[in-house]
Amino acid sequence: MRSFAPPLRACALVAVAATLSGCATRQSMDAEYEKALAQWQGASEELLVQRWGKPQSEEQIGSGKWLTFVVDNPGAASSRPTVGISIGGFGIGGGHTSIGGGVGVSAPFGTATPAAPSTCTTRFLIENGKVSTWTFDGPGCGASG
């Protein structure tokens, strides 16, 4: 009976691809958030407040004002156990077939501590009743867009 073992190089490529596909850089997240905020260019103050809620603060400057919104994106810690079930089969010519299955259970170790929230502070400059520009800062920006 033959055993199946994928080449080491193929396994390494799959591992690298899986790692890279799940990662977003701070720059790419900021660029996506900037793109989302650009859609507010020229929007009315009323629409902005309707969609974003009451601003954390307002600061008058010259003929305009800055509206500041602070959003906390909560951490994702969990204290619930998980269960996974799998079944599979593999056949190699000659009438030999292998079938296998398994059950995996994970339980939290100790007490789960929630991750710290990621805060994003976004400021919109309102001039003549419309959004003219914006700024943002914080690790939570772009995380939820």
Side-chain angles (χ1 to χ4, degrees), residues 93-109:
H96 298 357
T97 303
S98 299
I99 298 176
V103 175
V105 177
S106 72
F109 182 76

Side-chain angles (χ1 to χ4, degrees), residues 103-131:
V103 175
V105 177
S106 72
F109 182 76
T111 305
T113 305
S118 296
T119 302
C120 178
T121 301
T122 305
R123 300 177 74 212
F124 293 94
L125 179 59
I126 307 297
E127 294 179 306
N128 299 319
K130 302 209 179 280
V131 173

